[in-house]
């Protein structure tokens, strides 16, 4: 009876979670039709260019989705992550969460170049990244949604924000939730967006501690990691070396966007500690169980949470600029 009541409450929360496609911010609105007149082919160009890269290398889908996440958690969704270092800018690409792991910048460059040919100085890099994240999910078999548009690009970056605001693989559940809350995201968003790990890879160095020394000094593997799965991981993630070796975040369906990620967690086969800790909180654990059983509910909430994340502190109207090159501010 208690379980049924908990499920009812969760479904009620999901049903009334905010789902708005038109949002007002200081200086202006974001809305899906923003480029309908100024660049009507914008969304088609983004998806068709992205599709060529994903077809050649499916991993790009997860890489682009991750870029969007890491961009939005630092100063909002303003494409600050795309900036290279320059005389006055220290790039976020060199931060701890991004160094040697953030990738897919050449895909964004190609999309931007195509859009500049079609409609110069019109579509922002921030909107390109937001659209490409949605299309990466769709091309991997996941849900689609209308993306509110009209963001502009920042003229600076924040490596300190990148180092401090983005959840780390070894963060506790409460630390991760706090970092989400600071962005205006809640526990439901946290669990749903974590489901983005249904595609993509992680380096050995991001989870090695779980295999050999989860509790400092005891030399024992993480007790919440399936022992047979841990043994398989140790074959390519040795105690010493192999830090850059790649592993699927979802070993069962690594290139398919689905709810298998949540099923893996229930089997104690989450790759990162930050994934498996979703079972350490009663409310998040209930959502993990729900999404493992109901792929449709996961897809629905993931779309809502992606819209919500994409609306974090956008620059609109005269704030920021429309970069001609996503890697550098305009002269």
């Amino acid at each position: 009876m208690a379980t049924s009541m908990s499920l009812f409450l969760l479904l009620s929360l999901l049903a009334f979670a905010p789902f708005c496609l038109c949002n007002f911010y200081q200086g202006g609105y974001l809305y899906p039709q923003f480029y309908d007149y100024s660049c009507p082919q914008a969304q088609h160009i983004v998806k068709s260019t992205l599709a060529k890269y994903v077809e050649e290398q499916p991993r790009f889908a997860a890489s682009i989705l991750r870029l969007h996440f890491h961009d939005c958690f630092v100063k909002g969704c303003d494409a600050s992550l795309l900036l290279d270092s320059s005389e006055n800018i220290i790039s976020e690409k060199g931060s701890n969460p991004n160094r040697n792991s953030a990738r897919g910048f050449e895909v964004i460059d190609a999309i931007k170049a195509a859009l500049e040919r079609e409609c110069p100085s019109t579509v922002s890099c921030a909107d390109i990244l937001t659209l490409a994240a949605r299309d990466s999910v769709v091309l991997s078999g996941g849900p689609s949604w209308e993306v509110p548009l009209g963001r502009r690009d920042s003229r600076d970056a924040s490596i300190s924000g990148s180092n401090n605001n983005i959840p780390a693989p070894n963060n506790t559940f409460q630390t991760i939730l706090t970092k989400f809350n600071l962005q205006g995201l809640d526990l439901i968003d946290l669990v749903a967006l974590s489901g983005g790990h249904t595609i993509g890879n992680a380096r050995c160095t991001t989870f090695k501690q779980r295999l050999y020394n989860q509790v400092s000094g005891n030399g024992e593997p993480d007790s919440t990691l399936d022992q047979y799965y841990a043994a398989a991981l140790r074959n390519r993630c040795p105690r010493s070396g192999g830090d850059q070796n790649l592993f699927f975040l979802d070993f069962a369906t690594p290139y398919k966007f689905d709810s298998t990620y949540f099923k893996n967690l229930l089997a104690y086969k989450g790759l990162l500690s930050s994934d498996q800790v979703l079972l350490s909180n009663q409310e998040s654990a209930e959502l993990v169980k729900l999404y493992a059983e109901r792929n449709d509910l996961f897809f629905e909430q993931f779309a809502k949470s992606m819209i919500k994340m994409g609306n974090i502190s956008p620059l609109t109207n005269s704030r920021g600029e429309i970069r001609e090159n996503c890697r550098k501010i305009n002269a």
Side-chain angles (χ1 to χ4, degrees):
M1 180 68 179
T3 302
S4 298
M5 183 60 70
S6 296
L7 183 59
F8 173 77
L9 290 172
L10 284 170
L11 288 170
S12 299
L13 282 170
L14 293 172
F16 290 99
F19 185 51
C20 182
L21 293 178
C22 185
N23 299 273
F24 179 77
Y25 297 93
Q26 181 183 352
Y29 283 93
L30 296 184
Y31 52 97
Q33 300 79 22
F34 188 85
Y35 297 111
D36 280 7
Y37 295 101
S38 60
C39 192
Q41 292 299 310
Q43 296 202 40
H44 170 72
I45 291 171
V46 172
K47 188 172 184 179
S48 60
T49 305
L50 173 68
K52 295 175 184 176
Y53 281 87
V54 172
E55 184 178 10
E56 292 180 6
Q57 190 177 143
R59 184 186 170 201
F60 272 129
S63 299
I64 298 300
L65 180 59
R66 185 170 183 260
L67 286 184
H68 179 51
F69 174 75
H70 282 207
D71 180 51
C72 291
F73 265 59
V74 183
K75 302 186 332 81
C77 307
D78 60 2
S80 61
L81 173 56
L82 304 181
L83 290 169
D84 288 338
S85 290
S86 63
E87 183 178 351
N88 299 313
I89 293 173
I90 301 176
S91 176
E92 293 168 19
K93 297 175 184 178
S95 69
N96 292 329
N98 296 324
R99 188 172 57 250
N100 298 324
S101 63
R103 62 190 299 276
F105 299 105
E106 67 269 38
V107 180
I108 302 301
D109 290 341
I111 295 171
K112 179 61 172 174
L115 285 166
E116 286 298 301
R117 289 191 294 271
E118 177 73 16
C119 31
S121 303
T122 302
V123 183
S124 70
C125 301
D127 277 344
I128 290 171
L129 189 52
T130 308
L131 285 168
R134 187 272 310 273
D135 292 338
S136 292
V137 171
V138 173
L139 290 169
S140 301
S144 184
W145 59 92
E146 281 198 297
V147 176
L149 299 166
R151 299 165 192 78
R152 289 167 64 85
D153 303 322
S154 68
R155 292 181 55 83
D156 58 2
S158 175
I159 192 169
S160 62
S162 187
N163 279 324
N164 296 321
N165 297 354
I166 298 171
N170 60 349
N171 279 165
T172 65
F173 176 84
Q174 189 54 53
T175 297
I176 297 170
L177 181 58
T178 297
K179 290 181 177 182
F180 270 70
N181 289 162
L182 289 172
Q183 304 299 333
L185 302 172
D186 58 25
L187 184 144
I188 294 174
D189 300 315
L190 164 57
V191 179
L193 292 174
S194 293
H197 282 178
T198 182
I199 56 176
N201 299 265
R203 295 172 297 153
C204 163
T205 188
T206 61
F207 61 87
K208 180 178 288 191
Q209 184 181 7
R210 296 189 75 199
L211 302 180
Y212 302 103
N213 195 27
Q214 178 66 5
V215 181
S216 181
N218 74 351
E220 295 295 323
D222 188 345
S223 60
T224 66
L225 184 62
D226 177 84
Q227 61 177 327
Y228 298 107
Y229 183 45
L233 294 173
R234 281 192 289 267
N235 286 332
R236 291 186 52 247
C237 188
R239 188 184 296 270
S240 177
D243 286 358
Q244 303 305 314
N245 290 347
L246 292 175
F247 293 78
F248 292 126
L249 287 162
D250 170 6
F251 68 92
T253 56
Y255 296 115
K256 183 180 180 183
F257 198 99
D258 58 20
S259 61
T260 303
Y261 163 83
F262 296 104
K263 297 174 183 177
N264 292 341
L265 298 187
L266 294 176
Y268 299 100
K269 294 179 180 179
L271 184 63
L272 304 178
S273 176
S274 54
D275 292 323
Q276 200 62 53
V277 294
L278 294 181
L279 293 186
S280 68
N281 171 277
Q282 183 177 355
E283 189 176 352
S284 65
E286 287 293 328
L287 284 169
V288 169
K289 295 173 186 174
L290 178 64
Y291 295 151
E293 295 174 1
R294 296 285 303 275
N295 192 75
D296 59 326
L297 292 180
F298 165 49
F299 276 19
E300 179 182 345
Q301 185 56 49
F302 185 83
K304 290 180 181 179
S305 294
M306 282 293 289
I307 293 171
K308 191 174 175 182
M309 184 179 75
N311 291 340
I312 297 174
S313 304
L315 301 174
T316 55
N317 269 7
S318 61
R319 299 164 67 217
E321 65 180 15
I322 305 298
R323 285 185 217 142
E324 296 174 5
N325 180 332
C326 292
R327 292 177 180 264
K328 60 184 182 180
I329 62 174
N330 296 337

